Amino acid sequence: MTKLILNTKFIYIAIFTILSITINAQAPVVKSSGDIYEDLEKLKVLGSVLYVAAHPDDENTRLISYYANQVKARTAYLSLTRGDGGQNLIGPEIKELLGVMRTEELMAARRIDGGEQMFSRANDFGFSKNAEETREIWEEEKVMSDVVWAIRKYRPDVIINRFDHTSSGKTHGHHTASAILSYEAFDLSGDKNQFANQLKYVEPWSAQRLFFNTSWWFYGSREKFAEADKSNMVSIDIGTYYPIKGKSNSEIAAESRSQHVCQGMGNTASRGSSEEYMQLLKGDMPKDPHNIFEGINTTWSRIEASHIEKMIDDVIVNFNFSNPSKSAQAVANVVKSIKKLPASHWRDIKLADAESLLVNITGMYIEAISDQHTYTPNEEITIRSEVTNRSDVEAKVLKVRFNDMKMDTILNAALANNISLQWKHNLKVPPTAVTTSPYWLKEKGSLGMYRVDDQQLIGNPRSNRALSATYHLEINGEQVEITKDIVYRYNDPEAGPVYRPLEIVPAISVKLQEKVYVLSDERPTKINVSVKALSANQIGTVSMPVPKGWKITPSSYDFTIAQKGADQILEFELTPPAGQSEFTMKPVVKANGKEYRKELVKIDYNHIPYQSILMPAESKMVKLDIKTAGRKIAYIEGSGDAIPKSLEQIGYVVDIIPVQEITKERLQGYGALVMGIRAYNKLDDIRFKQDVLMDYVRDGGNMIVQYNTNRRLKVDNIGPFPIKLSRDRVTVEEAPIEILEPNHPILNYPNKITQKDFENWVQERGLYFANEWSDEYKAILSSHDPGEPARKGGLLVAPHGDGHFIYTGYSWFRQLPAGVPGAYRIFANMVSLNQNNKP
């Protein structure tokens, strides 16, 4: 490829080959002729729809894809939560870190189906059985403010609820609450007296229609739905085939839904006609029963610019798929005409769309690449830019502004056809640069809401990147601006070019080796603290404050770290007091006149962009009154959980055994065999090993099966005797526990279990309890949520031969990592069953 060499004070061009781009959110987007043509069609439509639900994976991707790709409307999904309270099927991340993962999975889904993504500040605090509880925990005034803000900011013509607002108590409380909030916000968003503080940034807005995306599921059966009165429903055939994409709408929707990887939502596409129904809740019923926009002006005439629509029509009629750049002058004229319109919501949106279209129609490749993944304030940064015009359209780069670094480069350089303009800048990260951790995690929130004080951040899917570059271009005489986040790129020998977001981080990250330390006696325990320099030449001290009764030696350490990226492991010795006690240890690092208290956590999966999250550096220290029996445990991993580490904390030797290696000989010598959560849902090969597992129990083994869902079990029966799992759960973590079998060994050996052991649990008691079982099983405990019948299927024990089989739906995978003392004592008793009669 020919290179243009610019010999200026600021610029040099290095010759290198353009690498192929990985499918990655940070890679420059290069649009095909088909994409550009669809963008032209979309430029004609001035209509929008907002879809509202509670969680990642609640959204109907078929409808989102249909309105984005067939109707060409702006289409967004407002998920009230980020899914923080769910389970992770692919790794150990839970709570806030799971919310970060699910946020990025939603962003990946929207990149496929063409929608946009929004959120409220609501926290997914776990399963809720009614909307009243949910609205209270969500601090209703705040979450209502967020829904109104989303409507005013996005200005939808139509709002669609995923769930029935009249169904409280019949389904997940978050689901119903999301519908109720949307139902009420439909009216509030247009009232200037409601949430008036928002009007500094947005205007009141009233959508014209509100629908409920109903289906046979809400009626109980397909037969009942077929007989239902549909006079107030709009029906849409969403099975559209898009020849320009080579895919049906349903295929795109399935691909989008399959991005919810950590929830196991891989979806097989369908083809052919398929109906979706929307029941009118508010507004006027469309005269056309197949068009939710009927009677709503979605043309350019809504902003008195019909002439621009005609210009776009002319571009579409004359579009050349073999050479889209032939339409560059016509698109430049569209841009010029839009600029002349008075500023308004739709004018500003369509101007940005038209400018992007003009750049894409030339095949323009633009990127800004940093030479490192992370930087700290005041650190020097090298940025490499490339702009390549891959058409014969007259174009040039006027200047580049490195935002936040207040640095402009005046170029006025012509962009000849397929001649790559490249240059390098050495700049300095501003001292005021904000760390790029998720904005909703920067302040401590409440049980139900994240704390975000900046009104303009609320609703954004992710943090704004600290460093970006704006390229001022001139194409066919028309000036446009394109802003690119500065990203990091490296070459992987197998994957090729890999992109990561550029991160602004503090100079030091501090980390305790474990999130929970469980101490079972008064002996000193070694506590390792890692201090990592994220910038060179860090000199300081680490101290470890402890409460009265606890002793830490030494009280502090000095450290010196010269190289960026290097770390030091500092070993402290912690001596607990006699008796049960607990506290949260928070290391304090002082270096170069500053104080550091946060850990840089990394999330690295192939299906989402690399994530760096700053979390408080702290660990829970728990001195337990606990006894254990037996020593060796075999653990069969299911979905990600931290149970093995937790058991090692109290002195057990835990061996992770792959399901393929399960044999009679392999299981010999283990006092207990523990199945990870959802193991019977996840592990295909478990069906071939079930006889071996039951033989292990019969021959004297102790097998503990943690919760599995009642769908997609890999075996007909998980135990030696009939047992049926249900969706029964106890969501209130303080729900009373009734001890049904007080004399059973599992409650007495080696620890005497009392009501105190059920105090201070987190998020829930348990889930997917059994609801039917044979007489061989004994129910040990009973619990229930308020107003519900007793749930006795959370801990069942059955003797089998010389051993025992245990099924437990109690949420140990949450309690043990959270350092709940009683949970450790009960789990130790489960593991120790069968040990009290051994020498």
Side-chain angles (χ1 to χ4, degrees):
M1 182 185 295
T2 306
K3 306 292 182 197
L4 174 63
I5 309 297
L6 297 185
N7 185 15
T8 73
K9 179 179 178 181
F10 301 104
I11 306 169
Y12 83 94
I13 305 300
I15 299 175
F16 67 94
T17 303
I18 295 178
L19 302 174
S20 61
I21 298 171
T22 55
I23 300 174
N24 180 304
Q26 281 72 51
V29 175
V30 180
K31 294 204 170 186
S32 68
S33 294
D35 296 330
I36 293 168
Y37 184 80
E38 289 185 305
D39 286 346
L40 276 167
E41 292 184 313
K42 191 158 190 146
L43 194 60
K44 286 184 57 179
V45 180
L46 279 66
S48 58
V49 57
L50 180 65
Y51 199 88
V52 182
H55 311 107
D57 91 344
D58 284 346
E59 79 274 27
N60 185 337
T61 55
R62 298 180 299 276
L63 271 184
I64 291 174
S65 177
Y66 177 84
Y67 283 109
N69 294 294
Q70 175 65 18
V71 180
K72 310 296 183 187
R74 285 187 80 210
T75 308
Y77 173 41
L78 172 60
S79 177
L80 295 196
T81 78
R82 297 176 186 266
D84 326 64
Q87 288 84 50
N88 183 356
L89 301 186
I90 63 172
E93 294 86 1
I94 58 174
K95 299 176 66 175
E96 298 93 344
L97 298 183
L98 179 59
V100 172
M101 288 179 63
R102 291 189 172 182
T103 294
E104 291 300 327
E105 289 181 344
L106 271 177
M107 296 294 287
R110 299 294 81 80
R111 285 192 292 274
I112 289 169
D113 59 35
E116 300 173 58
Q117 186 60 52
M118 304 174 76
F119 292 94
S120 81
R121 291 170 292 175
N123 184 15
D124 179 0
F125 56 85
F127 193 89
S128 175
K129 292 186 176 179
N130 60 71
E132 292 71 32
E133 176 196 55
T134 296
R135 295 175 74 177
E136 180 180 351
I137 294 175
W138 275 355
E139 301 175 47
E140 184 173 346
E141 186 75 5
K142 291 180 181 178
V143 74
M144 179 64 81
S145 170
D146 290 359
V147 179
V148 168
W149 169 256
I151 295 171
R152 288 172 172 175
K153 188 176 179 181
Y154 199 72
R155 297 168 71 90
D157 297 303
V158 177
I159 299 172
I160 303 173
N161 286 349
R162 183 69 183 103
F163 298 105
D164 179 4
H165 71 286
T166 66
S167 62
S168 184
K170 299 177 183 177
T171 183
H172 197 324
H174 296 183
H175 292 170
T176 310
S178 72
I180 294 173
L181 289 161
S182 176
Y183 185 86
E184 295 175 357
F186 181 87
D187 297 317
L188 297 177
S189 60
D191 185 346
K192 66 181 181 180
N193 297 314
Q194 299 293 329
F195 307 106
N197 60 301
Q198 298 177 1
L199 302 184
K200 180 180 178 181
Y201 310 103
V202 294
E203 296 177 352
W205 178 256
S206 296
Q208 297 197 41
R209 292 177 180 130
L210 173 68
F211 290 96
F212 160 41
N213 181 197
T214 191
S215 71
W216 68 265
W217 189 88
F218 294 97
Y219 284 73
S221 71
R222 296 182 188 276
E223 292 73 21
K224 289 181 180 179
F225 186 61
E227 297 171 357
D229 178 10
K230 298 182 179 63
S231 59
N232 66 338
M233 294 185 193
V234 171
S235 64
I236 308 289
D237 182 355
I238 52 84
T240 306
Y241 175 68
Y242 306 119
I244 206 164
K245 296 178 181 292
K247 296 179 181 179
S248 71
N249 188 73
S250 300
E251 288 171 318
I252 294 170
E255 187 178 343
S256 170
R257 189 161 184 79
S258 295
Q259 301 309 301
H260 296 299
V261 176
C262 73
Q263 299 189 71
M265 290 290 172
N267 202 263
T268 300
S270 62
R271 283 149 295 279
S273 179
S274 179
E275 292 289 320
E276 286 284 344
Y277 292 87
M278 283 164 285
Q279 176 184 330
L280 183 71
L281 300 179
K282 291 186 177 183
D284 62 308
M285 184 67 186
K287 294 179 181 177
D288 180 349
H290 308 295
N291 180 9
I292 64 171
F293 284 104
E294 190 275 331
I296 298 173
N297 188 357
T298 62
T299 72
W300 279 84
S301 66
R302 80 183 293 174
I303 58 171
E304 300 180 355
S306 298
H307 63 289
I308 293 177
E309 186 164 342
K310 184 179 184 306
M311 294 172 70
I312 298 169
D313 281 334
D314 290 342
V315 179
I316 291 173
V317 168
N318 296 295
F319 187 76
N320 186 325
F321 280 89
S322 298
N323 187 359
S325 66
K326 288 186 177 295
S327 297
Q329 185 59 63
V331 174
N333 293 339
V334 171
V335 171
K336 183 182 296 185
S337 296
I338 296 175
K339 285 180 179 178
K340 293 177 181 178
L341 298 175
S344 69
H345 173 74
W346 277 112
R347 179 264 189 190
D348 296 343
I349 289 170
K350 291 303 179 180
L351 177 58
D353 291 346
E355 288 185 336
S356 178
L357 180 61
L358 181 56
V359 172
N360 289 326
I361 213 166
T362 67
M364 195 83 70
Y365 184 96
I366 306 173
E367 69 175 3
I369 301 295
S370 66
D371 61 345
Q372 295 181 45
H373 176 214
T374 63
Y375 291 90
T376 58
N378 279 322
E379 194 171 7
E380 290 190 354
I381 177 173
T382 298
I383 302 170
R384 291 177 171 82
S385 281
E386 177 189 339
V387 182
T388 304
N389 172 20
R390 292 178 288 188
S391 72
D392 58 6
V393 173
E394 183 180 335
K396 55 183 166 181
V397 180
L398 302 177
K399 69 175 182 178
V400 178
R401 177 173 180 80
F402 294 101
N403 304 312
D404 300 311
M405 289 178 278
K406 297 180 173 60
M407 176 68 183
D408 285 359
T409 301
I410 308 300
L411 298 175
N412 205 28
L415 294 168
N417 187 359
N418 215 31
I419 295 179
S420 182
L421 177 67
Q422 301 174 22
W423 69 97
K424 180 178 82 169
H425 257 92
N426 293 318
L427 301 170
K428 183 172 282 191
V429 177
T432 56
V434 178
T435 55
T436 47
S437 186
Y439 71 86
W440 62 93
L441 297 179
K442 290 188 175 182
E443 301 289 342
K444 185 175 178 59
S446 64
L447 171 64
M449 293 291 288
Y450 283 118
R451 178 179 171 183
V452 181
D453 297 326
D454 185 343
Q455 180 66 54
Q456 294 188 83
L457 282 177
I458 294 171
N460 291 355
R462 57 163 73 106
S463 296
N464 298 322
R465 290 294 165 186
L467 304 181
S468 62
T470 298
Y471 295 81
H472 297 253
L473 309 173
E474 185 177 285
I475 302 174
N476 272 1
E478 195 59 41
Q479 293 187 19
V480 297
E481 297 179 10
I482 297 294
T483 298
K484 296 281 186 178
D485 288 336
I486 300 170
V487 299
Y488 170 62
R489 184 189 67 202
Y490 69 95
N491 189 67
D492 182 275
E494 296 180 359
V498 176
Y499 289 80
R500 287 182 177 177
L502 185 151
E503 310 281 3
I504 303 300
V505 296
I508 289 177
S509 168
V510 57
K511 177 184 179 181
L512 284 153
Q513 187 175 16
E514 304 292 345
K515 286 300 178 187
V516 175
Y517 287 83
V518 180
L519 315 176
S520 56
D521 54 41
E522 289 81 49
R523 289 177 296 180
T525 297
K526 296 186 186 305
I527 306 292
N528 288 333
V529 180
S530 170
V531 179
K532 186 168 187 174
L534 303 176
S535 183
N537 302 317
Q538 298 300 316
I539 301 172
T541 61
V542 180
S543 59
M544 302 273 278
V546 297
K548 185 178 180 180
W550 294 75
K551 180 182 177 183
I552 192 81
T553 306
S555 58
S556 65
Y557 264 114
D558 294 333
F559 67 87
T560 300
I561 307 176
Q563 290 184 309
K564 177 177 180 174
D567 63 359
Q568 284 189 15
I569 306 296
L570 308 176
E571 186 178 276
F572 292 82
E573 191 172 81
L574 179 67
T575 304
Q580 192 156 297
S581 178
E582 61 183 75
F583 77 101
T584 300
M585 178 170 280
K586 301 178 180 181
V588 179
V589 177
K590 295 181 179 180
N592 299 332
K594 295 184 178 179
E595 193 171 279
Y596 302 91
R597 294 173 176 264
K598 292 195 173 181
E599 172 190 353
L600 186 65
V601 180
K602 301 173 183 178
I603 299 178
D604 189 8
Y605 292 95
N606 290 334
H607 71 292
I608 58 174
Y610 188 99
Q611 299 292 303
S612 297
I613 303 101
L614 288 168
M615 299 291 289
E618 57 188 38
S619 294
K620 189 173 182 181
M621 303 292 168
V622 181
K623 168 55 172 41
L624 272 183
D625 176 14
I626 190 171
K627 299 180 179 65
T628 61
R631 181 162 178 78
K632 292 186 67 178
I633 296 174
Y635 199 94
I636 312 298
E637 289 187 308
S639 302
D641 68 54
I643 296 290
K645 278 190 175 182
S646 299
L647 295 175
E648 289 171 346
Q649 290 262 17
I650 55 175
Y652 284 103
V653 175
V654 182
D655 292 335
I656 307 295
I657 300 179
V659 65
Q660 295 83 1
E661 296 181 14
I662 296 174
T663 63
K664 180 178 180 178
E665 293 73 23
R666 186 75 171 84
L667 297 180
Q668 285 181 350
Y670 288 104
L673 167 65
V674 181
M675 307 294 288
I677 58 175
R678 294 193 179 186
Y680 278 102
N681 298 130
K682 179 180 179 181
L683 304 176
D684 287 327
D685 288 350
I686 198 74
R687 70 189 72 182
F688 308 123
K689 305 295 182 177
Q690 185 69 353
D691 289 343
V692 178
L693 296 173
M694 294 302 103
D695 287 346
Y696 163 80
V697 177
R698 185 197 60 208
D699 294 341
N702 180 29
M703 182 176 175
I704 302 166
V705 176
Q706 298 180 79
Y707 96 89
N708 287 263
T709 67
N710 57 356
R711 296 176 58 207
R712 300 176 183 171
L713 286 169
K714 304 297 183 181
V715 297
D716 294 332
N717 189 44
I718 63 172
F721 310 108
I723 181 173
K724 183 178 179 181
L725 306 185
S726 72
R727 297 180 63 86
D728 290 350
R729 60 174 75 205
V730 181
T731 62
V732 178
E733 57 267 36
E734 303 93 356
I737 296 285
E738 181 184 358
I739 295 176
L740 303 176
E741 296 287 339
N743 297 321
H744 196 282
I746 208 168
L747 297 178
N748 291 279
Y749 180 83
N751 303 288
K752 177 63 178 177
I753 303 304
T754 68
Q755 288 293 338
K756 186 173 180 61
D757 291 299
F758 299 99
E759 296 176 0
N760 301 315
W761 280 40
V762 298
Q763 187 161 324
E764 61 194 354
R765 285 296 190 195
L767 64 170
Y768 292 99
F769 287 10
N771 64 346
E772 295 181 21
W773 53 87
S774 66
D775 292 341
E776 288 83 356
Y777 295 95
K778 275 192 176 180
I780 307 299
L781 304 172
S782 177
S783 186
H784 62 89
D785 282 325
E788 294 193 355
R791 310 293 187 192
K792 299 181 180 181
L795 181 57
L796 301 175
V797 182
H800 179 51
D802 294 328
H804 286 88
F805 175 89
I806 301 171
Y807 176 76
T808 177
Y810 286 97
S811 57
W812 313 108
F813 74 102
R814 297 196 191 280
Q815 311 310 321
L816 269 60
V820 176
Y824 274 90
R825 288 165 45 85
I826 300 167
F827 209 98
N829 279 19
M830 290 195 296
V831 169
S832 302
L833 192 62
N834 273 16
Q835 299 296 320
N836 58 338
N837 59 359
K838 294 185 179 180

